[in-house]
């Protein structure tokens, strides 16, 4: 464990690596459907405010903990305070669960690459196409297996460097193409209403669910409250300014999510009608094919787009899996192969019911949610808030904020120290309220 850590070459290297893990399906698939469902402009506003305050503070804290200890989550908490080792283990469980349903959605992305390869551009734009795909038995399972197998293969062979290099070239292309699709989508007749819905905060669309879902999305998208940023911090050189690195990661991550919303939401208004805003996880897969079907060269653009999304997704799933495998290796002394196999077993156990939850297992629901939505709820709305509460308490009352200040200040001035401190002390109460609300809501005890 105490072997010499390799470090990122410099600030740019660090920011790109952390952004590579942060930018994924969360930005392109999850953000637009949540924004569409939970209030449009008001969701966007709440989300941005939370990123700049709470998200900022938690990312700084995690990176500082990692850099100070030079260890990943389990080791880091253990080194700072033995009693909190359990928190290290707790946050490590989260990426495993996420990986299993992430791979299901990653499978959907591969399916849509194949749609455009096979030239089913028009068919994919019809209403029932996506629904009949996910309610089947064979296809969702096959594509889920392909996505996970590719992820596992990369981790097993230890070739992520190569993949990451490719994806660094792909990422700017993805951004440019998304911008193009967004502009195209916004100019379709009837899209303007959607642009306004997405950009103009309307307080009458606000609900407690706006805050709950924005908070969950923030954890998910920035990869926080699951030990990932601690690990990244442990690879960060001592002379890099943590604060400005975090700002850059946030701008990157939020910028891409923003663009994805602009790509999907106006098109919903123009092509399928605002009554479809609440569609949920399938939104992107139903809306974008409609745009591609209208475009000249839509088959090629659609195919390239989903291929790029696939790259963004697989870099994230690789880093999810890598996080878990390295804990297994470090803590249980297992070989890489054994660790990968253990991850495979867990991912199959959670992923198979997730993949089948819209078809043969359609009647099997937990708290009224299909299995995939349930896992998403469990991690984002329950486990991550708990992890974040405990992390804040750990910093405020066990190691004291001073420890973080010192680490941040070792590489420059800590400009937002006040904001950071206020956030850290006030977050647990806020998070607790959110946690209780979302659980009560899930159990249908209250309606928010
Ligand atoms: N942030 C990633 C996304 O937006 C998803 C994710 C969550 C992730 N936790 C992670 C990626 C851990 C890598 C490592 O898609």
């Amino acid at each position: 464990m105490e072997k010499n850590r390799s470090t990122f070459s410099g600030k740019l290297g660090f920011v790109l690596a952390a952004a590579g893990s942060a930018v994924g399906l969360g930005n392109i698939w999850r953000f637009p459907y949540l924004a569409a469902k939970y209030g449009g402009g008001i969701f966007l506003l709440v989300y941005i405010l939370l990123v700049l305050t709470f998200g900022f503070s938690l990312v700084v804290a995690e990176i500082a903990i990692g850099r100070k200890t030079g260890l990943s989550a389990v080791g880091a908490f253990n080194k700072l305070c033995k009693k909190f080792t359990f928190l290290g283990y707790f946050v490590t469980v989260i990426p495993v669960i996420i990986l299993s349903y992430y791979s299901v959605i990653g499978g959907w992305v591969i399916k849509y690459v194949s749609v455009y390869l096979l030239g089913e551009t028009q068919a994919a734009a019809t209403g029932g196409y996506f629904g009949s795909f996910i309610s089947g038995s064979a296809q969702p399972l096959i594509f889920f297996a392909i996505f996970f197998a590719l992820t596992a293969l990369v981790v097993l062979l230890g070739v992520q460097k190569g993949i990451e290099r490719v994806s660094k070239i792909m990422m700017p292309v993805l951004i440019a193409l998304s911008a193009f699709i967004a502009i195209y989508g916004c100019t379709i007749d009837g899209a303007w209403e959607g642009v306004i819905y997405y950009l103009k905060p309307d307080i009458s669309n606000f609900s407690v669910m706006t805050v709950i879902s924005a908070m969950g999305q923030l954890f998910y998208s920035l990869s926080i409250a699951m030990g990932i940023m601690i690990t990244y911090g442990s690879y960060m050189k001592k002379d890099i300014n943590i604060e400005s690195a975090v700002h850059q990661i946030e701008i990157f991550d939020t910028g891409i999510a923003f663009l994805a919303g602009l790509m999907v939401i106006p098109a919903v208004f123009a092509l399928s009608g605002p009554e479809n805003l609440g569609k949920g996880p399938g939104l992107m897969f139903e809306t974008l094919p409609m745009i591609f079907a209208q475009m000249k060269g839509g088959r090629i653009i659609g195919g390239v787009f989903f291929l790029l999304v696939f790259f963004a997704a697989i870099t994230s799933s690789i880093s999810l899996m890598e996080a878990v495998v390295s804990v297994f290796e470090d803590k249980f002394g297992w070989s890489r192969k054994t660790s990968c196999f253990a991850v495979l077993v867990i991912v199959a156990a959670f992923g198979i019911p997730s993949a089948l939850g819209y078809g043969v297992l359609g009647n099997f629901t937990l708290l009224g949610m299909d299995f995939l939505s349930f896992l998403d709820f469990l991690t984002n709305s329950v486990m991550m808030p708990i992890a974040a509460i405990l992390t804040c308490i750990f910093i405020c009352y066990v190691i004291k904020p001073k420890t973080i200040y010192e680490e941040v200040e070792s590489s420059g001035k800590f400009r937002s120290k006040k904001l950071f401190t206020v956030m850290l002390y006030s977050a647990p109460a806020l998070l607790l309220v959110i946690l209780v609300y979302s659980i009560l809501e899930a159990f249908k005890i209250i309606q928010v």
Side-chain angles (χ1 to χ4, degrees):
M1 198 69 201
E2 302 283 345
K3 54 188 175 241
N4 255 339
R5 289 234 152 200
S6 52
T7 49
F8 294 113
S9 48
K11 183 160 160 214
L12 186 66
F14 175 79
V15 170
L16 285 179
S21 141
V23 175
L25 292 172
N27 308 63
I28 303 159
W29 154 74
R30 203 170 185 275
F31 182 87
Y33 94 72
L34 290 177
K37 192 167 176 181
Y38 295 115
I42 193 77
F43 178 92
L44 186 64
L45 181 70
V46 169
Y47 181 77
I48 291 175
L49 286 177
L50 285 175
V51 166
L52 293 175
T53 54
F54 178 71
F56 166 79
S57 307
L58 219 64
V59 184
V60 167
E62 291 200 9
I63 291 180
I65 289 176
R67 189 168 77 173
K68 185 177 170 57
T69 56
L71 299 169
S72 47
V74 177
F77 283 112
N78 179 275
K79 186 169 178 182
L80 292 170
C81 172
K82 283 234 152 34
K83 279 205 191 112
F84 270 78
T85 314
F86 79 92
L87 185 53
Y89 284 110
F90 180 70
V91 296
T92 310
V93 175
I94 300 173
V96 198
I97 303 179
I98 293 189
L99 178 63
S100 55
Y101 75 84
Y102 205 86
S103 303
V104 174
I105 313 285
W108 296 357
V109 173
I110 298 184
K111 158 77 185 174
Y112 274 78
V113 174
S114 81
V115 161
Y116 292 97
L117 273 180
L118 299 172
E120 295 173 7
T121 317
Q122 298 302 329
T126 53
Y129 189 87
F130 179 73
S132 72
F133 160 58
I134 53 168
S135 59
S137 301
Q139 287 210 22
L141 273 186
I142 293 170
F143 286 107
F144 156 65
I146 296 176
F147 186 87
F148 181 72
L150 290 171
T151 303
L153 205 65
V154 173
V155 172
L156 200 57
L157 299 176
V159 291
Q160 40 264 62
K161 285 259 149 48
I163 300 291
E164 269 153 32
R165 220 165 289 145
V166 176
S167 91
K168 251 167 234 164
I169 304 164
M170 300 285 218
M171 199 63 92
V173 186
L174 175 65
I175 297 173
L177 190 61
S178 303
F180 171 73
I181 297 169
I183 293 169
Y184 185 93
C186 289
T187 54
I188 301 174
D189 261 358
W192 192 244
E193 220 183 309
V195 176
I196 291 176
Y197 174 74
Y198 181 48
L199 295 182
K200 196 167 157 224
D202 180 351
I203 197 78
S204 66
N205 288 331
F206 181 84
S207 72
V208 179
M209 277 315 284
T210 309
V211 184
I212 295 176
S213 54
M215 188 64 109
Q217 172 62 13
L218 175 151
F219 292 130
Y220 189 95
S221 191
L222 291 172
S223 314
I224 48 181
M226 52 190 110
I228 303 289
M229 285 297 157
I230 299 184
T231 310
Y232 274 94
S234 73
Y235 295 116
M236 187 195 213
K237 277 203 176 128
K238 287 282 182 194
D239 58 354
I240 294 174
N241 187 317
I242 295 184
E243 204 175 4
S244 71
V246 171
H247 281 309
Q248 288 174 7
I249 297 168
E250 285 183 325
I251 291 171
F252 217 73
D253 191 62
T254 309
I256 294 181
F258 173 78
L259 199 56
L262 202 56
M263 190 165 63
V264 172
I265 295 175
V268 174
F269 278 75
L271 301 174
S272 58
E275 67 279 5
N276 288 307
L277 285 173
K279 273 258 160 99
L283 195 63
M284 158 181 138
F285 296 95
E286 297 186 64
T287 308
L288 293 183
M290 293 186 194
I291 302 189
F292 298 139
Q294 287 210 346
M295 273 182 177
K296 242 203 184 126
R299 176 176 173 190
I300 294 171
I301 294 173
V304 171
F305 174 79
F306 279 107
L307 189 68
L308 293 168
V309 173
F310 164 74
F311 270 95
I314 199 153
T315 49
S316 289
S317 66
I318 289 166
S319 97
L320 277 162
M321 182 155 178
E322 188 64 45
V324 184
V325 166
S326 67
V327 171
F328 284 173
E329 285 179 325
D330 284 353
K331 289 294 148 188
F332 305 133
W334 293 349
S335 72
R336 204 165 180 83
K337 256 198 200 137
T338 314
S339 306
C340 283
F341 184 73
V343 175
L344 166 78
V345 172
I346 305 170
V347 166
F350 287 119
I352 293 172
S354 302
L356 297 177
Y358 302 95
V360 280
L361 293 182
N363 291 325
F364 171 65
T365 56
L366 289 159
L367 301 176
M369 295 175 235
D370 62 80
F371 199 67
L372 189 151
S373 305
F374 175 76
L375 291 183
D376 193 67
F377 166 79
L378 182 69
T379 46
N380 292 279
S381 304
V382 181
M383 295 176 81
M384 291 191 236
I386 293 176
I389 291 172
L390 291 172
T391 308
C392 291
I393 292 176
F394 175 71
I395 295 168
C396 291
Y397 305 103
V398 182
I399 60 170
K400 303 277 161 22
K402 203 171 84 228
T403 316
I404 307 288
Y405 301 159
E406 283 168 6
E407 188 58 41
V408 176
E409 283 167 349
S410 71
S411 52
K413 198 168 163 350
F414 192 176
R415 290 213 186 89
S416 315
K417 194 154 138 182
K418 272 218 185 85
L419 171 78
F420 174 83
T421 316
V422 172
M423 279 309 13
L424 233 56
Y425 278 97
S426 54
L430 173 74
L431 283 167
L432 196 64
V433 174
I434 290 185
L435 180 66
V436 171
Y437 252 102
S438 59
I439 292 176
L440 291 180
E441 211 264 343
F443 280 95
K444 302 274 180 292
I445 296 173
I446 51 166
Q447 209 96 55
V448 287

